[in-house]
Amino acid sequence: MVFTIDDEQNKMMAKIQNMNRTETYTCEISSCKNPVCGCSVAYLTLVPVYSDVDSLETMQSHDVTIDLYKKKLGYQNDKKVPKDELKFAKLFLQQLDENDYQILNPLFFRLKNKICEEAPVDLIDVPFDFEDIEYDSAMWAYNDILPYGNQLYVKINDKSFIIYDQYCLQPKCTCTDVFLNLFPIDIKGTKGIEYCIVNMDYKKKRWEMTEDSPRINVAGVKSAIETQIPDLYSQLGKRHKKLKAIYAHNRAKNYQAANDIQAPMPKVGRNDPCPCGSGKKYKKCCMP
């Protein structure tokens, strides 16, 4: 194990076996600043703690880049890394074990989460498929747009699930519907096969299983989620509002107005399904 946490100094310490000597470093972790980047590349800065005159002469600071998910060095091009730095980085990586990743991963997630949640809307650039959203009513999940944003979890029958909340992003749509996709996760955080899909109106607090969802007691799912996420409905409303603001910014910046002229919205009858994808009749949803 390489890392320990010095609670008194609030520092992360690293000990590396280099030849016949143990080298001690303080370690700082950082990440890329892009709020929509889902990479797991961490940047570690190691500053030596000198213990004697010999170490003062031979030890130096190091910058090591690691892909925490793949558990390998995260340099885009090893050839551009100085040989001494690359040699140290490989030595460092070889000595990391599962306990070290259990220290690094939560620290990295907190960094990325802060970046995601605090980024101003006008600085969040997302490669939306505008045609799918505008004309095919495609829905987007909160954590598809902000991979390290706040995540929703629930336990049902002693099993842990991650919740992917998907929303309609069309600017003129006023629906308050959300699709909740539940995926089981194991102790390591690995996502399994989809458990169920719930269609919910977070304003009216109305729940129902979708047609393609397996037969699962929706009342039990509803009770579990409401109990474990007390502010569920207000959270979903805020998340939906944030995603619509992100989409509106990107739409205004990147979507060609000419597309609206070239591909006008088809006419929809009063009793036809609303094109926003809510499942309601047009006259009860987005009809002017």
Side-chain angles (χ1 to χ4, degrees):
M1 183 172 176
V2 170
F3 291 110
T4 56
I5 303 297
D6 187 328
D7 294 324
E8 290 185 3
Q9 300 185 51
N10 193 28
K11 290 182 178 180
M12 181 164 59
M13 310 298 295
K15 288 189 176 183
I16 306 296
Q17 297 298 322
N18 193 352
M19 303 296 285
N20 59 347
R21 183 178 65 188
T22 300
E23 298 179 347
T24 303
Y25 299 84
T26 59
C27 182
E28 295 286 340
I29 182 172
S30 61
S31 68
C32 74
K33 306 302 181 185
N34 185 352
V36 301
C37 177
C39 79
S40 54
V41 176
Y43 305 101
L44 306 179
T45 299
L46 291 93
V47 178
V49 177
Y50 302 111
S51 58
D52 52 44
V53 176
D54 290 338
S55 63
L56 181 62
E57 294 177 352
T58 58
M59 290 178 64
Q60 61 183 17
S61 296
H62 298 279
D63 293 313
V64 179
T65 302
I66 297 177
D67 188 318
L68 297 178
Y69 179 76
K70 297 178 180 178
K71 298 180 180 178
K72 68 176 188 179
L73 295 181
Y75 303 112
Q76 293 185 352
N77 188 348
D78 288 356
K79 294 180 180 179
K80 292 186 178 181
V81 183
K83 290 184 178 180
D84 289 345
E85 280 293 279
L86 187 60
K87 180 180 179 181
F88 179 87
K90 290 179 177 179
L91 176 69
F92 181 84
L93 182 69
Q94 289 172 357
Q95 296 182 35
L96 296 181
D97 62 19
E98 284 302 318
N99 293 316
D100 293 310
Y101 287 106
Q102 288 177 18
I103 290 175
L104 291 173
N105 287 332
L107 292 174
F108 179 80
F109 179 85
R110 285 198 289 270
L111 281 172
K112 292 290 290 184
N113 177 257
K114 184 178 175 67
I115 291 168
C116 279
E117 294 297 331
E118 295 183 357
V121 167
D122 59 358
L123 293 182
I124 301 177
D125 293 324
V126 183
F128 286 111
D129 187 329
F130 296 106
E131 297 297 324
D132 270 3
I133 293 172
E134 298 288 328
Y135 303 120
D136 295 330
S137 304
M139 303 179 80
W140 282 62
Y142 187 85
N143 290 119
D144 281 341
I145 295 175
L146 298 171
Y148 287 96
N150 293 338
Q151 297 177 330
L152 303 175
Y153 296 95
V154 66
K155 271 194 172 184
I156 301 174
N157 298 328
D158 295 326
K159 291 184 179 180
S160 296
F161 296 86
I162 186 170
I163 304 172
Y164 278 79
D165 44 329
Q166 298 186 70
Y167 305 91
C168 165
L169 303 183
Q170 291 189 14
K172 294 182 180 180
C173 180
T174 59
C175 78
T176 52
D177 285 2
V178 55
F179 283 94
L180 304 181
N181 300 61
L182 275 66
F183 293 90
I185 51 175
D186 58 24
I187 297 176
K188 295 181 179 180
T190 304
K191 187 174 70 173
I193 299 173
E194 189 173 61
Y195 176 68
C196 69
I197 308 174
V198 180
N199 182 14
M200 184 246 282
D201 184 321
Y202 60 78
K203 186 175 182 180
K204 296 180 179 179
K205 301 181 181 179
R206 187 188 65 232
W207 298 59
E208 62 182 11
M209 288 293 179
T210 59
E211 293 181 359
D212 54 350
S213 189
R215 293 185 178 181
I216 293 172
N217 182 3
V218 67
V221 174
K222 177 178 182 289
S223 176
I225 296 177
E226 286 180 336
T227 300
Q228 296 170 49
I229 310 177
D231 61 343
L232 172 69
Y233 300 107
S234 62
Q235 270 206 62
L236 296 179
K238 291 176 182 177
R239 287 158 79 92
H240 191 189
K241 182 179 180 180
K242 183 173 182 177
L243 293 195
K244 290 195 75 170
I246 293 172
Y247 179 72
H249 158 69
N250 282 265
R251 187 181 191 274
K253 182 179 178 181
N254 301 312
Y255 192 44
Q256 296 294 328
N259 287 345
D260 289 323
I261 299 174
Q262 295 170 2
M265 288 288 289
K267 291 184 178 180
V268 182
R270 288 169 52 83
N271 294 311
D272 292 339
C274 186
C276 79
S278 67
K280 302 176 185 177
K281 290 183 179 180
Y282 182 50
K283 66 182 180 181
K284 293 185 178 181
C285 191
C286 296
M287 181 177 174

